[in-house]
């Protein structure tokens, strides 16, 4: 039989769409000799190459592991449907990009859990790789399947398929995990004895082995997820990097041949956000705020440009304009790189004058669009969600933007938030019109010929685990659709462009975001029916999901919601992400009283729990 | 300084589209620490121009591009720096400095040479192949249909085929063809294969492989490469 590499190169790649999705020889990719390392690992991203390669976490872990001489890490992404068909027709197993090896030949596969609607792709990848889906069906000769990333804080809907999960920031723990696996293999003649190995792994702080825990139900109500082994912790605590300056950051990152979604240098300026929006999971799970110092950032920028050749640096984080030194940092980078036509971009802007000043600076080299996120249409509802943005803020910043030359502005909103009424929807429409009319006036008075245009992008609220709103009811599908229609009917002006997401997807997202182990069955059934690439509207098939629900006697609306009592155990309560349940509950109560909570970076500590319990602290370059 | 670079496209390189290549060239020069010159204006872009575009999937031994740099460098240093900055699948072959801005590469290049592997579904004798090529080449015209922006178009490709040679290797015909390329007309190697197939009632299998051997400036007197003129 011809080897996989030559079949792929000569017979398959030239027949699929975008073949470079499947070629792992990009600049700065690492290919190590298979037989010269102790452990062969694979990073699996359950979505397309273009999405996965835009993810900073992949680059951090890929290069961190490959810089260790004793390990190798290769990559695999979900093949698009044309490639899947080509593989299935010829019975070719899913392969890694670097060495074109079947994924089942690796010792450990780490699958990143970035969003719930990629879960069917995980099953599809394992199946394409000829790996049994369920952890208890995988004997010792199969790779260990590890999960990590934001969705690992509630991994219960995936518990059957994974051998273990890693909670928290991967660069802090991954080498300990690989060290444990490789020394285990050394002791066991190059093989693994899963029963023993999983116990050894469970002893690492931050590692959760779901088969060592059992959910206890009484009358269909979850009472607790209990350890079934004496020496595993009752609650698994996540891992956190304390000092971002000392944390590993790849200085020779991969440079794709073909365009990916975020095709630029990603420079992580800070981690965490403590603005405290009550719907936002990232704002809770990535605490505390830790800034990287300007000195380190400048040095990294310089080396990254040399190593990648990119012409754009994105200063990434959840809230870049909050970096305490952002203005001088931005100015200095722009000055340094302007003549080489290297631009800087800021992915997220606060709604305030300061952020607009930053955006104006950035324009010196490259024009970019402007996006702001008021999230809700009225002051009342913005106070409920603790989004510290006023209408004056928005008008001030958009006025300045139109005056500075922008003509198009994008605004993000959410519908279905707790306590929302139709008045709040009217508020969204009113705000859009106000910003538009203001823009038209400014452009007219400035004698400019281009028209003002507003895009409002409206998503549906999904209650997420580990947020103050984790107990909230989600709107029904009908309610969400009615609200979407309501806004649509009120927007008559063609200069306002109105986008919204499929509400069905938001319902499913809520199901999985707060689900327990019973969902494993549902996921499997939906995948068997052909669900995959659910986050791609051309592939999303809600009717198949409904069939799966029906056959299992499950009710989406019921599953999408959990009990609203504080004392009830949550399906993920045996996992400790740092911020306490009591704090989240208190934030929820404050939401109903429309009381604001200040940002601990500017005011005093509000005792969310993470710094107290996990021995970390906020790091700011300048107080 | 203005330089003309000859490079190869192999393995992954053949799957890069023109746009991929454009982006990659800029990155290669930046990695190599060779500052490119940029155009003036609202949206400056690096001053690079390419020879004839290559369809995605085709490997090539001889592609060309002209680049303007903001500083002078000795050619051997240029070569050294570029060699470490190119990704796998692109290989620098030769660099020459251009003294003055001549006509653009696309305006100069007017002929391409290809090697094409044509998989046969039926056995064929060497003499049959020879006759077939002769028969195909004596036809005064050969019309192909092309999909253009304004719908289908009929084009005579015969005059643009300068040379056609072939030999058999097991169940493949290996062709070497010289065809017109560039702004005056562009003949695709698949069209030449189509001419042979129709003329000889050939049965072919899937899996045509095309490789570009060279790009040339063809004049009355001689055929030269873009580095020789
Ligand atoms: S513990 Fe206090 S300082 Fe630390 S993130 Fe929470 S609120 Fe901020």
């Amino acid at each position: 039989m011809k080897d996989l590499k030559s079949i792929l190169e000569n017979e398959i790649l030239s027949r699929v769409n975008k073949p470079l999705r499947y070629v792992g020889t990009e600049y700065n990719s690492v290919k190590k000799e298979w037989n010269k390392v102790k452990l062969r690992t694979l990073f699996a991203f359950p979505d397309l190459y273009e999405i996965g390669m835009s993810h900073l976490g992949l680059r951090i872990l890929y290069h961190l592991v490959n810089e260790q001489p004793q390990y190798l890490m290769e990559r695999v992404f979900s093949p698009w449907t044309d490639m899947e068909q080509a593989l299935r027709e010829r019975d070719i197993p899913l392969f890694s990009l670097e060495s074109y090896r079947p994924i089942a030949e690796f010792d450990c596969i780490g699958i990143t859990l970035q969003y719930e609607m990629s879960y069917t792709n995980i099953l599809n990848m394992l199946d394409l790789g000829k790996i049994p889906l369920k952890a208890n069906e995988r004997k010792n000769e199969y790779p260990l399947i590890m999960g990590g990333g934001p969705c690992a804080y509630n991994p219960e809907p995936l518990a059957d398929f994974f051998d273990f999960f890693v909670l928290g920031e991967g660069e802090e723990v991954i080498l300990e995990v690989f060290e444990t696996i490789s020394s285990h293999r050394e002791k066991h003649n190059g093989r693994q004895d899963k029963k023993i190995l999983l116990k050894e792994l469970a002893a690492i702080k931050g590692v959760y082995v779901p088969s060592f825990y059992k959910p206890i139900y009484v009358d269909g109500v979850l009472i607790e997820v209990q350890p079934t082994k004496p020496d595993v912790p009752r609650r698994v605590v996540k891992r956190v990097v304390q000092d971002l300056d000392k944390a590993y950051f790849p200085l020779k990152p991969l440079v794709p041949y073909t365009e990916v979604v975020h095709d630029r240098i990603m420079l992580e300026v800070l981690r965490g956000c403590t603005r405290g929006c009550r719907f936002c999971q990232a704002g809770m799970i990535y605490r505390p705020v830790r800034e990287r110092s300007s000195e380190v950032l400048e040095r990294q920028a310089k080396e990254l440009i040399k190593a990648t050749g990119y012409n754009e640096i994105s200063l990434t984080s959840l809230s870049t304009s909050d970096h305490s030194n952002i203005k001088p940092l931005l100015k200095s980078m722009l000055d340094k790189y302007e003549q080489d036509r290297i631009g800087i971009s800021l992915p997220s802007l606060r709604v305030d004058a300061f952020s607009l000043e930053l955006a104006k600076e950035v324009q010196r080299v490259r024009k970019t669009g402007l996006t702001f996120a008021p999230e809700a249409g009225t002051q009342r509802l913005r106070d409920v969600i603790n989004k510290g943005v006023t209408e004056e803020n928005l008008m001030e910043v958009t006025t300045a933007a139109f005056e500075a030359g922008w003509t198009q502005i994008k605004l993000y909103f959410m519908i279905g938030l707790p306590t929302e009424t139709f008045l709040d929807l009217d508020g969204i429409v009113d705000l859009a019109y106000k910003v538009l009319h203001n823009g038209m006036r400014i452009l007219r008075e400035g004698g400019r010929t281009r028209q003002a245009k507003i895009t409002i992008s409206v998503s549906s609220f999904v209650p997420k685990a580990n947020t103050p709103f984790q107990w909230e009811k989600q709107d029904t599908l009908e309610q969400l659709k009615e609200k979407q229609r309501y806004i649509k009917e009120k927007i008559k002006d063609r200069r306002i462009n109105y986008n919204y997401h499929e509400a069905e997807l938001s319902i499913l997202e809520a199901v999985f975001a707060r689900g327990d182990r019973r969902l494993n069955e549902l996921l499997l059934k939906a995948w068997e029916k052909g669900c995959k690439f659910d986050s791609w509207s051309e592939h999303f098939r809600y009717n198949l999901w409904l069939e799966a629900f029906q056959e299992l006697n499950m009710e989406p609306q019921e599953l999408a919601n959990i009990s609203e009592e504080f004392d009830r155990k949550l399906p993920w309560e045996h996992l400790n992400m740092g911020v306490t349940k009591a704090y989240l509950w208190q934030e929820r109560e404050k939401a109903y009283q429309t009381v604001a909570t200040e940002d601990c970076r500017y005011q005093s500590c509000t005792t969310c729990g993470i710094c107290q319990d996990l021995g970390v602290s906020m790091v700011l370059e300048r107080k | 300084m203005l330089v003309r670079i000859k490079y190869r496209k192999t393995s992954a390189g053949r799957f890069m589209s023109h746009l991929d290549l454009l982006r990659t060239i800029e990155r290669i020069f930046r990695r190599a620490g060779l500052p490119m010159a940029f155009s003036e204006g609202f949206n400056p872009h690096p001053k690079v121009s390419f020879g004839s575009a290559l369809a995605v999937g085709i490997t090539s031994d001889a592609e060309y591009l002209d680049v303007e740099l903001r500083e002078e460098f000795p050619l051997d240093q240029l070569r050294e720096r570029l060699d470490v900055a190119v990704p796998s699948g692109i290989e620098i072959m030769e660099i020459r400095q251009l003294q003055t801005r001549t006509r653009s590469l696309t305006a100069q290049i007017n002929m391409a040479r290809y090697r094409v592997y044509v998989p046969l579904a039926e056995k064929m004798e060497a003499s049959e192949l020879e006759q077939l090529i002769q028969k195909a080449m004596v036809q005064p015209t050969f019309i192909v249909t092309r999909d253009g922006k304004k719908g289908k178009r009929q084009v005579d490709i015969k005059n643009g085929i300068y040379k056609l040679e072939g030999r058999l290797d097991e169940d493949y015909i290996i062709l070497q063809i010289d065809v017109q390329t560039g702004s005056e007309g562009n003949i695709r190697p698949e069209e030449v294969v189509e001419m042979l197939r129709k003329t000889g009632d050939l049965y072919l299998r899937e899996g045509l492989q095309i490789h570009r051997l060279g790009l040339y400036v063809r004049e009355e007197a001689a055929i030269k490469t873009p580095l020789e003129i």
Side-chain angles (χ1 to χ4, degrees):
Chain A
M1 183 177 147
K2 285 190 266 187
D3 69 310
L4 187 56
K5 187 171 171 6
S6 80
I7 295 178
L8 280 167
E9 284 188 346
N10 297 326
E11 299 170 37
I12 294 186
L13 288 182
S14 48
R15 256 166 257 172
V16 295
N17 238 315
K18 306 204 175 173
L20 290 168
R21 283 171 178 163
Y22 312 104
V23 178
T25 57
E26 306 97 317
Y27 198 74
N28 289 334
S29 62
V30 185
K31 184 168 173 223
K32 292 195 177 178
E33 269 185 69
W34 191 258
N35 293 321
K36 293 220 167 126
V37 295
K38 284 198 206 157
L39 196 72
R40 296 123 194 154
T41 71
L42 181 67
F43 190 110
F45 199 104
D47 209 322
L48 266 193
Y49 177 90
E50 291 92 316
I51 310 287
M53 283 296 289
S54 305
H55 182 244
L56 182 58
L58 179 154
R59 291 169 195 239
I60 294 178
L61 295 180
Y62 176 81
H63 293 288
L64 170 63
V65 173
N66 280 322
E67 280 180 26
Q68 318 301 314
Q70 70 274 35
Y71 311 133
L72 68 75
M73 182 175 262
E74 302 197 354
R75 288 165 295 151
V76 65
F77 302 87
S78 287
W80 194 240
T81 44
D82 59 343
M83 183 56 140
E84 174 174 347
Q85 199 188 340
L87 296 180
R88 290 202 192 271
E89 269 168 14
R90 292 160 173 256
D91 201 29
I92 297 174
L94 186 63
F95 55 90
S96 68
L97 260 52
E98 278 79 358
S99 61
Y100 290 150
R101 255 172 215 278
I103 66 170
E105 287 181 17
F106 286 80
D107 301 323
C108 179
I109 302 180
I111 303 179
T112 184
L113 309 173
Q114 294 297 318
Y115 29 89
E116 292 82 6
M117 297 326 288
S118 64
Y119 290 176
T120 49
N121 278 9
I122 296 174
L123 302 193
N124 206 38
M125 287 174 93
L126 292 177
D127 182 64
L128 275 165
K130 299 182 188 290
I131 296 174
L133 301 183
K134 296 211 168 160
N136 62 15
E137 291 165 359
R138 290 192 294 266
K139 306 258 165 54
N140 284 329
E141 65 272 20
Y142 284 103
L144 278 177
I145 307 294
M146 156 174 84
C151 294
Y153 293 117
N154 179 24
E156 294 303 282
L158 296 167
D160 290 355
F161 309 109
F162 281 75
D163 294 303
F164 67 100
F165 297 95
V166 171
L167 307 188
E169 295 170 335
E171 65 268 57
E172 186 70 13
V173 60
I174 193 143
L175 296 181
E176 278 171 52
V177 168
F178 289 168
E179 177 51 40
T180 303
I181 302 174
S182 74
S183 59
H184 170 96
R185 296 179 76 98
E186 258 170 356
K187 268 184 266 149
H188 294 81
N189 303 319
R191 299 210 189 85
Q192 59 175 8
D193 184 335
K194 247 174 102 171
K195 278 210 190 83
I196 302 171
L197 176 54
L198 287 176
K199 271 199 204 137
E200 292 168 350
L201 286 167
I204 301 174
K205 193 181 157 207
V207 172
Y208 167 50
V209 179
S211 56
F212 293 167
Y213 295 77
K214 196 168 145 228
I216 311 291
Y217 294 93
V218 172
D219 297 333
V221 173
L222 179 73
I223 302 302
E224 196 182 4
V225 183
Q226 277 179 357
T228 56
K229 295 254 173 338
D231 34 3
V232 299
R234 289 198 80 79
R235 291 190 82 199
V236 180
V237 186
K238 78 158 174 199
R239 296 291 290 266
V240 194
V241 168
Q242 171 60 56
D243 186 345
L244 225 49
D245 276 352
K246 294 208 189 92
Y248 174 80
F249 198 77
L251 296 175
K252 289 194 165 97
L254 293 156
V255 184
Y257 287 108
T258 186
E259 193 171 19
V260 299
V261 179
H262 296 297
D263 209 6
R264 53 189 75 94
I265 291 170
M266 288 180 271
L267 192 58
E268 190 185 22
V269 298
L270 62 94
R271 210 173 275 181
C273 170
T274 42
R275 301 214 141 235
C277 297
R278 292 177 176 130
F279 57 84
C280 177
Q281 192 184 43
M284 297 295 149
I285 62 177
Y286 293 113
R287 290 175 175 226
V289 166
R290 289 145 293 158
E291 294 180 350
R292 193 165 263 151
S293 67
S294 306
E295 188 201 323
V296 171
L297 289 168
E298 294 251 25
R299 196 175 65 228
Q300 292 182 341
K302 191 171 154 201
E303 293 196 32
L304 284 163
I305 291 169
K306 235 171 84 185
T308 63
Y310 271 123
N311 64 5
E312 186 178 341
I313 304 173
S314 171
L315 301 180
T316 64
S317 77
L318 291 168
S319 168
T320 298
S321 38
D322 277 328
H323 189 287
S324 55
N325 241 344
I326 187 67
K327 210 170 168 188
L329 178 68
L330 183 66
K331 195 174 161 351
S332 140
M333 284 195 184
L334 282 163
D335 288 346
K336 236 184 254 169
Y337 303 123
E338 189 172 3
Q339 68 153 349
D340 287 319
R341 309 298 319 160
I342 297 169
I344 315 281
S345 60
L346 304 169
S348 53
L349 286 179
R350 263 172 9 208
V351 188
D352 60 20
F354 178 75
S355 300
L356 193 80
E357 275 177 50
L358 300 180
K360 279 200 232 166
E361 282 280 322
V362 162
Q363 295 289 102
R364 267 167 42 191
V365 185
R366 197 152 304 149
K367 311 281 169 229
T368 50
L370 268 189
T371 303
F372 298 106
E375 305 288 5
T378 60
Q379 195 57 48
R380 185 200 64 80
L381 191 51
R382 285 193 294 272
D383 290 343
V384 168
I385 63 177
N386 204 42
K387 184 93 203 176
V389 170
T390 61
E391 188 171 321
E392 290 77 67
N393 292 149
L394 183 67
M395 293 316 289
E396 185 191 16
V397 74
T398 52
T399 299
F402 286 119
E403 283 172 355
W406 275 278
T407 54
Q408 302 196 14
I409 287 173
K410 191 169 178 182
L411 301 174
Y412 279 128
F413 291 101
M414 230 182 248
I415 53 168
L417 286 163
T419 77
E420 180 189 67
T421 67
F422 280 83
L423 287 178
D424 300 300
L425 304 184
D426 292 339
I428 294 177
V429 176
D430 292 346
L431 268 187
Y433 272 105
K434 261 193 193 152
V435 173
L436 175 71
H437 289 146
N438 186 43
M440 285 163 60
R441 183 185 53 79
I442 294 167
L443 295 191
R444 198 173 46 242
E445 285 171 5
R448 298 187 4 227
T449 47
R450 293 194 57 185
Q451 284 210 339
K453 275 208 177 111
I454 308 296
T455 295
I456 55 172
S457 187
V458 180
S459 60
S460 300
F461 166 65
V462 176
K464 294 257 168 150
N466 292 309
T467 64
F469 287 165
Q470 65 184 354
W471 293 276
E472 296 307 312
K473 282 231 150 20
Q474 190 186 32
D475 273 353
T476 63
L477 184 60
E478 291 67 37
Q479 284 172 317
L480 289 175
K481 289 193 157 176
E482 193 196 334
K483 291 177 179 179
Q484 290 176 339
R485 256 197 317 273
Y486 181 82
I487 295 177
K488 188 169 190 163
E489 276 160 20
K490 294 218 156 190
I491 299 219
K492 295 267 181 308
D493 199 308
R494 297 249 298 281
R495 285 163 292 199
I496 300 177
N497 179 13
Y498 167 51
N499 298 328
Y500 52 93
H501 302 267
E502 263 168 296
E504 287 85 352
L505 205 61
S506 307
I507 301 279
L508 276 183
E509 229 180 296
V511 169
F512 281 98
R514 298 192 293 182
D516 60 26
R517 289 203 186 176
R518 289 173 293 190
L519 289 182
N520 285 274
E521 223 187 331
L522 175 73
L523 181 63
L524 184 60
K525 183 134 252 153
W527 169 74
E528 282 168 351
K529 289 181 173 296
C531 292
K532 60 188 162 198
F533 282 109
D534 296 297
S535 56
W536 295 75
S537 53
E538 67 263 52
H539 286 299
F540 179 51
R541 297 175 64 190
Y542 193 57
N543 58 332
L544 292 185
W545 278 98
L546 285 183
E547 276 177 27
F549 277 108
Q550 252 162 23
E551 284 170 32
L552 295 169
N553 271 325
M554 290 177 172
E555 189 47 62
Q557 213 67 52
E558 216 168 275
L559 283 170
N561 291 307
I562 57 170
S563 161
E564 285 180 60
E565 288 163 53
F566 177 76
D567 291 330
R568 271 288 172 73
K569 281 276 193 278
L570 300 158
W572 52 91
E573 213 168 316
H574 55 303
L575 307 175
N576 181 355
M577 67 87 184
V579 177
T580 61
K581 186 181 182 185
Y583 181 81
L584 296 177
W585 183 264
Q586 178 194 319
E587 276 299 298
R588 177 191 197 228
E589 307 230 289
K590 284 169 87 176
Y592 281 100
Q593 295 153 11
T594 28
V595 174
T597 297
E598 301 286 351
D599 185 342
C600 62
R601 124 205 326 264
Y602 302 107
Q603 308 295 330
S604 54
C605 167
T606 52
T607 342
C608 73
I610 190 151
C611 300
Q612 292 78 18
D613 297 349
L614 266 54
V616 286
S617 55
M618 180 157 51
V619 180
L620 302 182
E621 185 169 9
R622 238 166 21 133
K623 293 269 152 61
Chain B
M1 82 188 278
L2 197 61
V3 289
R4 177 160 293 176
I5 299 175
K6 177 182 174 189
Y7 63 97
R8 295 175 64 192
K9 256 177 136 185
T10 59
S11 58
R14 73 184 162 129
F15 294 122
M16 295 174 77
S17 68
H18 187 67
L19 210 65
D20 294 335
L21 199 61
L22 204 65
R23 267 191 295 263
T24 298
I25 295 293
E26 187 185 336
R27 288 174 197 162
I28 290 172
F29 277 83
R30 197 170 278 117
R31 292 196 286 256
L34 303 168
M36 296 173 98
F38 283 84
S39 64
E40 300 291 324
F42 186 68
N43 202 354
H45 46 86
K47 291 189 175 170
V48 196
S49 60
F50 288 86
S52 155
L54 190 63
V56 171
I58 300 183
T59 50
S60 171
D61 277 342
E63 297 296 300
Y64 299 88
L65 58 92
D66 290 349
V67 181
E68 194 180 324
L69 299 177
R70 292 205 306 268
E71 291 166 31
E72 301 281 320
F73 294 90
L75 286 186
D76 52 347
Q77 207 192 95
L78 214 66
R79 172 73 195 250
E80 241 167 67
R81 291 203 199 182
L82 287 173
D83 277 346
V84 291
V86 291
S88 153
I90 292 182
E91 226 178 289
I92 306 285
M93 306 299 290
E94 224 178 312
I95 307 178
R96 219 193 76 192
Q97 181 158 11
L98 301 181
Q99 295 315 327
T100 49
R101 192 165 267 293
T102 48
R103 286 197 301 151
S104 77
L105 273 167
T106 24
Q108 290 179 325
I109 293 169
N110 59 7
M111 184 184 112
R113 180 168 295 157
Y114 294 96
R115 184 186 299 136
V116 186
Y117 297 82
V118 187
L120 289 167
E122 291 177 335
K123 256 193 93 59
M124 192 177 199
E125 298 296 329
S127 55
E128 288 176 84
L129 177 62
E130 202 177 308
Q131 278 170 19
L132 170 60
I133 290 176
Q134 259 182 20
K135 188 173 164 199
M137 287 303 278
V138 296
Q139 315 175 78
T141 59
F142 186 81
I143 307 291
V144 296
T145 312
R146 285 185 190 160
D147 289 324
K149 281 187 196 108
K150 293 180 213 138
K152 294 199 184 307
R153 250 175 348 116
Q154 308 276 305
V155 185
D156 176 17
I157 61 164
K158 183 63 207 341
N159 273 335
I161 304 175
Y162 304 133
K163 203 166 173 191
L164 175 57
E165 289 169 348
R167 64 186 166 84
L168 287 168
D169 184 3
E170 294 186 12
D171 51 354
Y172 277 90
I173 306 176
I174 302 175
L175 296 177
Q176 183 165 319
I177 54 185
D178 286 357
V179 288
Q180 184 184 38
T181 193
S183 47
E184 300 283 307
N186 225 337
I187 289 167
R188 294 168 47 226
E190 294 93 326
E191 293 171 338
V192 180
V193 173
E194 182 60 12
M195 177 178 89
L196 278 184
R197 192 188 66 79
K198 278 220 172 125
T199 315
D201 283 329
L202 294 182
Y203 283 102
L204 305 180
R205 286 177 291 130
E206 270 197 60
L208 192 73
Q209 282 177 52
I210 304 171
H211 175 71
R212 183 135 90 186
L213 291 166
L215 287 169
Y216 301 92
V217 182
R218 180 179 186 262
E219 284 159 355
E220 299 269 314
I223 293 177
K224 289 182 179 163
T225 74
L227 288 175
E228 288 164 349
I229 49 172

